[in-house]
Structures are given as structure tokens and as C-alpha cells.
Amino acid sequence: MSALVAPQAPAIDSKKTVRRELLHELLRSKAFLIGSAIVLTWVVCAIFRDFIVTFDPTDDNPFQQHRQPLTDQFLLGTDRLGRDVFSRVVGGARVILLIAPAATIIGTVLGVLLGLVMGYYRGVVDDVLGRLIEALLALPVILVALLALVSIGTGTLIVTFVIGLLFAPVIARTIRAAVLVERDLDYVRAAQLRGERGPYVMLVEILPNVVGPIIVEFTVRLGYAIFTLAGLSFLGFGSQPPSPDWGLMIAEERAVISAGIWWPSIFPAIAIASLVIGVILIADAIQAAFDR
Amino acid sequence: MGRYVLRRFGLAAITLVLLSMIVFLISSVLPGSVGRAILGPFADPQSVALVNEQLGLGGPLWERYFDWVGGAITLDFGDSYQYRGAPVTDFLWDALWRSAKLALLTLLLVVPLAVAGGAMAALRQGRTTDRVISLAGLTLAVTPEFVTGVVLIAVFAVGLGWFPASVPATFSSPFDELRAMVLPAVSLVAVLFGYIARMARAGTLEALAADYTRTATLKGLAWGSVLRRHVLRNALLPTIAVVATQAGYLLGGLLVTETLFNYPGIGRLVYTAAKGRDIPMMMGGVITVGAVFMLLTLLADVLSAWLNPRIRLGTARD
């Protein structure tokens, strides 16, 4: 028994070292630190929203003046209903930071399962699913999402699921490629010869060895989930009024930019851009660290 | 070469059929609600059923699919619900042509810019110029088009007054039309620059490290001609493929940009159809975008094969 356990010990040890080195690598990367700082700021806004906001984000107070420019009272001005733009931008962080990660988690779980099955079993399953995925990827995600939302109906929950489902094929393709490399390695052969069933080999043996690509794919997709969800909200198929959704705020207030009232739309625009950039900087740094 | 092209054509045809099934299935999840959407929430169930019947929504799913696909093959996508009676095709070609013009302007701006940027980044690999170009490309690529668009409108249309904030219905001259297209095109350039520059950078790096570049340098060729004749030419090969895929993406990604700038292309057509629950119009628009995308990818594959003997002669399959 001890003969079987002994050779495993150094393997675990080296895995730990690899993980520590990875962390060191990340902490030395400027892109990672800047990205984390941005994302963390928005996470703090989302969690401690009620302590940060100066007004209720959805409260259209008729006593406040509408479309007020930036003042000491209204840090970023007010919108067409007299709502405080600063409070709405802070509140918007909670909206996007709930649905974007949820959608990405759904997509990643489905995509990883699909990728494992395709890469491990190959054959007909792989061919058929591969063709379907390629067909689906011939269309921009936002277009298919719009089609689905029109026929199913809108709502935060539905949008989250639709984006999750549509991200699954892309993730599956990446994971499949990683599984293809693993499936011919000795440890998989050994498990098969031991008589383990397919699901065991995939989930217990292969899955821990493709964690790297999964993490990279998750962070990249998170960035694109924010991108896509903001776009859908902008088109009116995401969060519905009076939600302080950033995309929706821009859609509602963009018409009056030409009248010189820029603050209700430019600040949410900056918010979206900064969050996506923060996430993608993290994703890029993680990818670079894994590649090394 | 012949066999390779034939194989690619076959695959594209299969993909197109699958695509039509996906588009049809997604749009037919709740077929009954179409009549309800047209007549409103207070109509009685009989009238709703009658309208559904008239629109041909009564039969079984596969029958309706073949009806739709049969029409789509002859470029007949049915009649619009919104503009009652008017065939979808009438709107489709105009919109597609408008979008193609916008896409062309975007590509004319972005390709030289991104290739130059990518090559410059590769030549200064690891230095500040490389970092700045790569990082700027990445951040612009992930910033949604309407975010860049809104900022562009605030600065260049409202602040400086150089370009119109939205595209007018008619133009007094082709120059006016071009001027109206600049801001939408620039917001699309911002998204595409990163992808194309990244490919151009990778292609240039690969060509710089290749044996033929070393040979050319060692035989005493001036650095300028090494770059022009050996490095850049080879670096452009992978860039062609990415330009074609991005051009296809452009046609669909126009959705948000065209809505923001009121540009009457295929993206806004799909958007207005979605708003009005005009399902035939939506399906027609979406499947057209998919087909155009596939055609462009096919074109890129064939072009790369023609330019690259390794693929043409079948040494590197798939």
C-alpha cells in the first residue's frame, strides 16, 4: 500500500509549488493588480451599496430638480426623473455583478460538461455536437440572444439563462481541446484499465487537470458576459426600468446628449467600460501566467 | 486544392442547414404568442387563434420549418408582421447594402491601422510601444460599441460639432453621407482594432523568428527590404483570416451601433423587428447575417489556401 502512495507525494508537492509560483507571477503583473483594483472597487460598491449611495437609486423624487448638473448635493448630477446619477451608477454595480457572474457560471458548468463529453468520447457525439456548435457560432451571441428573448420574453432571470446557454458552446470548444490532450496520457489509461467508468474518469481524473483552461475561460467569458448583458440592456431587452442598470441608463438618456446633458449617460458608460476592462486585464494576466 | 475547396463548401452547406434549424427552433418556442402580440392582451382567444391560423402558425413544427426553409432558399422570407403584407425581402436588401457600406468603411479604416499597429508592436516586442498598443487594443476591443459611441457623440458631435450625432433619413450629397458614417464606423473600428492588431503582431513575430528572415538578413539584404519582402508578406497571411471573420461579425455586431446612430442597416432592421415582435423579419435578418458570415469565412479559407501552399497541397489538413 505504501508503495502505491509514496510516488504520489512529490506530485502533490510540486502541484502546490506550481500554484504558489502562479500566484507570485500574478501579483507581480501590473495588469492583474490594476484590473483587480478596478473590479474590487465595483464589488465594494455592489456589496456596500446602501452605505455609499447618497439617495435611493430608483427613487424619482419630484422635489429634486430634473437634469441638474454636477453639484455638491448631486455629485454626478441628476437624470430626467430627478434621480441622483451617482447613486444610480453605484447601484448599477449590484445589478451587473449579480447577473454577469451568474450567467458565466451557468455557461461554464454546461460548457465544461459538454467539453468533457466531446473530448473524452469523441466519435459521433463529438461530430454532431461540434457541427451544431460551429453553426451556432456563425452568429454573434447578441443576435441569437435577441432572437431568444423576443420569443421567450424578457426578464433578468431569462436573460441570465440565455446568456449562460449561449456561452456554453464557446467554452465547450476550448475545454474539448484541453481534454483531447489529456485523454491519451498514462493516468487516464491507468484509470480505464482499472475498470473505472467514463463519468468517473472524466470528473475525477481529467477535470482536475484542465482547471487551468477553465479558469482562463471563465474570466474571459465574464468580461464578455458584462459586454453582452450591457448591450442587451441598452437595446431594452435586459433589465427593465426603473432598474439602475448601466446599459439601460445610457439608452434612456442618450437622446439628450445633443442638448448638452451628458452626465446621465457618460458616467454609466465609464462604469461599464472600466468594469469590462478590469475583468479582461485580470483574464489576460491569468492567461499569461498559465502560458508561462 | 479542388478537393479542399469542395470539402469546405460541403461543411459550410451543412452548417447553414443546422443554422436554419437553430434560428427556426429558437423563434418558434412560443408560436401562440404571435397572434397575442399583434392583437394585444385584451383580444379574445378565438381571434388570437384565427390570426395564428392566418399566419400559418397552426401546423406541426416540421411542416412549418420546411415551409420557411423552402421560402428562404428562394430568398423569400415571408411577409412582415409590422408592415402588414410587405415581403421581408424588400427591406432586407436595402438594409444589407447600407450595412455593407458601413462595414466597408470600417474595414478600410481599421485594417491598415491595425496591421501597422500590430507590426510596430511586434518590432518593439516587450517594450513600451508594444505594451501600449497591445493594452489599448485589448481595452478598446472589450468596451461595448455603444459606450465608445456615446463618448464619440458627446465629444465629436455635440462638443466639437464635426459630425452629425445620428444619421439623417436623406442626404444632400455623397459627402454628407460619408460624414454621417464616420462616427458609427469609428466606434466599430475601436472594437475591431484589438483583434486584428493582435493577429498582425503574432504573424509578424512568427515571421521575424523564421529561418527565411534570418537567411535574408545574413545574405546582406537591407533591413527595410527584409521587412517588406519577407516579414510583412508572411505576417499578413493569418491576418486575412481574422479580417474575414471579423467582417462577418461586423454585420451582426452592427446591431448596437446602428441602433445608437439610427443607421438604417441590417442591425437596426433586426432591432426594430425585435421591438415589434416581427418574427419573420427577425428570422430573415438573422439567417442572412449568418449566411453572409459563413460565406466570408469560406472566402477567407479559400483565399488562405490559395496563398499558402502548405494548405493548398494538403500537408496541413483542417
Side-chain angles (χ1 to χ4, degrees), chain B residues 24-75:
Chain B
F24 180 80
L25 273 178
I26 295 177
S27 355
S28 312
V29 180
L30 286 178
S33 51
V34 173
R36 176 68 63 196
I38 292 175
L39 295 176
F42 303 114
D44 56 306
Q46 283 100 330
S47 320
V48 171
L50 192 69
V51 168
N52 282 339
E53 186 77 26
Q54 280 172 349
L55 293 172
L57 297 173
L61 206 60
W62 61 269
E63 211 177 277
R64 283 189 282 134
Y65 172 71
F66 281 113
D67 262 6
W68 179 66
V69 151
I73 289 171
T74 56
L75 298 179

Side-chain angles (χ1 to χ4, degrees), chain B residues 15-273:
Chain B
T15 313
L16 197 58
V17 171
L18 287 174
L19 182 66
S20 72
M21 288 182 183
I22 293 171
V23 168
F24 180 80
L25 273 178
I26 295 177
S27 355
S28 312
V29 180
L30 286 178
S33 51
V34 173
R36 176 68 63 196
I38 292 175
L39 295 176
F42 303 114
D44 56 306
Q46 283 100 330
S47 320
V48 171
L50 192 69
V51 168
N52 282 339
E53 186 77 26
Q54 280 172 349
L55 293 172
L57 297 173
L61 206 60
W62 61 269
E63 211 177 277
R64 283 189 282 134
Y65 172 71
F66 281 113
D67 262 6
W68 179 66
V69 151
I73 289 171
T74 56
L75 298 179
D76 168 18
F77 298 100
D79 296 338
S80 154
Y81 294 165
Q82 263 176 319
Y83 312 94
R84 205 161 297 183
V88 169
T89 322
D90 287 2
F91 301 89
L92 217 52
W93 300 135
D94 266 3
L96 197 63
W97 168 235
R98 290 278 219 141
S99 288
K101 275 200 283 190
L102 183 55
L104 194 71
L105 179 66
T106 307
L107 288 177
L108 282 179
L109 291 172
V110 77
V111 171
L113 209 67
V115 168
M120 213 153 85
L123 291 174
R124 305 219 182 347
Q125 192 198 0
R127 284 191 251 167
T128 321
T129 321
D130 180 22
R131 291 261 172 77
V132 169
I133 291 177
S134 301
L135 211 63
L138 188 68
T139 49
L140 285 175
V142 296
T143 308
E145 303 93 332
F146 66 92
V147 170
T148 356
V150 160
V151 176
L152 285 174
I153 289 177
V155 175
F156 293 101
V158 180
L160 298 168
W162 291 354
F163 305 101
S166 94
V167 180
T170 50
F171 303 103
S172 48
S173 70
F175 176 75
D176 262 11
E177 186 176 358
L178 193 66
R179 212 168 75 118
M181 277 161 66
V182 168
L183 287 187
V186 170
S187 75
L188 289 165
V189 165
V191 175
L192 294 182
F193 175 82
Y195 293 109
I196 300 174
R198 207 172 233 211
M199 282 311 275
R201 179 180 178 274
T204 311
L205 281 180
E206 199 182 315
L208 278 174
D211 286 342
Y212 54 77
T213 305
R214 200 182 51 180
T215 311
T217 318
L218 288 179
K219 81 180 178 196
L221 216 59
W223 184 230
S225 6
V226 175
L227 275 186
R228 245 179 304 120
R229 284 204 218 152
H230 296 277
V231 176
L232 286 183
R233 261 187 215 187
N234 282 289
L236 283 178
L237 203 60
T239 314
I240 292 172
V242 82
V243 167
T245 25
Q246 296 303 329
Y249 168 79
L250 246 184
L251 281 171
L254 290 169
L255 188 64
V256 171
T257 312
E258 291 183 352
T259 307
L260 177 64
F261 288 96
N262 264 326
Y263 188 82
I266 191 121
R268 211 174 68 118
L269 178 124
V270 171
Y271 168 74
T272 13

Side-chain angles (χ1 to χ4, degrees), chain A residues 57-58 60 67 79-83 85 88 230 233-236 239-257 261-266 268, chain B residues 146 150 260 271 275:
Chain A
T58 51
D60 41 316
R67 293 192 169 129
D79 69 1
R80 70 192 195 294
L81 298 175
R83 294 173 296 195
V85 173
R88 282 176 71 73
S233 297
F234 173 75
L235 294 174
S239 315
Q240 297 300 314
S243 165
D245 185 290
W246 294 335
L248 188 64
M249 287 168 73
I250 297 175
E252 287 172 339
E253 300 284 347
R254 71 188 166 95
V256 293
I257 299 178
I261 301 164
W262 52 271
W263 53 91
S265 40
I266 295 295
Chain B
F146 66 92
V150 160
L260 177 64
Y271 168 74
K275 276 277 175 205

Side-chain angles (χ1 to χ4, degrees), chain A residues 30-31 128 131-144 146-153 166 223-224 226-228 230-232 234-237 246-247 250-251 254 257-260 262 265-266 268-270 272-273 276-277 280-281 284 287, chain B residues 11-12 14-15 18-19 22-23 26-30 33 135 138-147 150-151 153-154 158 165 191 195 198 248-249 252-253 255-256 259-262 270-271 273-275 277-279 282-283 285-287 289-290 293-294:
Chain A
K30 256 183 227 148
V128 171
R131 282 284 121 216
L132 267 174
I133 288 176
E134 194 172 314
L136 198 61
L137 293 185
L139 288 171
V141 169
I142 195 159
L143 215 57
V144 189
L146 200 65
L147 199 63
L149 292 175
V150 167
S151 59
I152 305 171
L166 290 179
Y224 284 105
I226 299 169
F227 185 111
T228 313
L232 285 173
F234 173 75
L235 294 174
F237 287 88
W246 294 335
I250 297 175
R254 71 188 166 95
I257 299 178
S258 40
W262 52 271
S265 40
I266 295 295
I270 294 171
I272 296 174
V276 188
I277 290 168
I280 289 296
L281 282 178
D284 213 44
Q287 190 155 29
Chain B
L11 286 179
I14 296 173
T15 313
L18 287 174
L19 182 66
I22 293 171
V23 168
I26 295 177
S27 355
S28 312
V29 180
L30 286 178
S33 51
L135 211 63
L138 188 68
T139 49
L140 285 175
V142 296
T143 308
E145 303 93 332
F146 66 92
V147 170
V150 160
V151 176
I153 289 177
V158 180
V191 175
Y195 293 109
R198 207 172 233 211
Y249 168 79
L255 188 64
V256 171
T259 307
L260 177 64
F261 288 96
N262 264 326
V270 171
Y271 168 74
K275 276 277 175 205
R277 291 187 58 93
D278 188 349
I279 297 206
M282 257 198 104
M283 287 164 80
V286 171
I287 197 86
V289 170
F293 173 85
M294 224 122 47

Side-chain angles (χ1 to χ4, degrees), chain A residues 6-181:
Chain A
Q8 271 184 353
I12 291 170
D13 223 41
S14 74
K15 229 180 199 173
K16 253 185 196 161
T17 330
V18 167
R19 215 169 288 162
R20 204 175 308 140
E21 267 175 18
L22 213 70
L23 208 66
H24 267 277
E25 187 84 45
L26 282 180
L27 290 177
R28 257 184 286 138
S29 146
K30 256 183 227 148
F32 181 79
L33 293 178
I34 296 172
S36 305
I38 298 172
V39 173
L40 222 64
T41 309
W42 287 120
V43 171
V44 168
C45 282
I47 296 174
F48 300 104
R49 182 190 78 178
D50 300 336
F51 300 101
I52 298 171
V53 296
T54 40
F55 294 91
D56 185 334
T58 51
D59 190 19
D60 41 316
N61 187 339
F63 297 111
Q64 291 168 10
Q65 271 189 296
H66 301 179
R67 293 192 169 129
Q68 275 269 41
L70 287 60
T71 58
D72 286 347
Q73 193 190 0
F74 309 114
L75 292 173
L76 305 180
T78 63
D79 69 1
R80 70 192 195 294
L81 298 175
R83 294 173 296 195
D84 182 46
V85 173
F86 171 74
S87 302
R88 282 176 71 73
V89 168
V90 171
R94 188 178 280 187
V95 178
I96 193 77
L97 286 175
L98 275 177
I99 51 177
T104 317
I105 289 170
I106 295 171
T108 309
V109 170
L110 284 174
V112 166
L113 290 178
L114 213 61
L116 279 171
V117 169
M118 287 170 70
Y120 183 68
Y121 287 115
R122 310 222 35 203
V124 187
V125 187
D126 188 23
D127 284 341
V128 171
L129 288 174
R131 282 284 121 216
L132 267 174
I133 288 176
E134 194 172 314
L136 198 61
L137 293 185
L139 288 171
V141 169
I142 195 159
L143 215 57
V144 189
L146 200 65
L147 199 63
L149 292 175
V150 167
S151 59
I152 305 171
T154 43
T156 314
L157 210 63
I158 299 174
V159 173
T160 311
F161 269 96
V162 166
I163 295 296
L165 282 177
L166 290 179
F167 275 4
V170 195
I171 298 167
R173 208 165 54 164
T174 314
I175 303 307
R176 173 188 172 271
V179 173
L180 279 183
V181 178

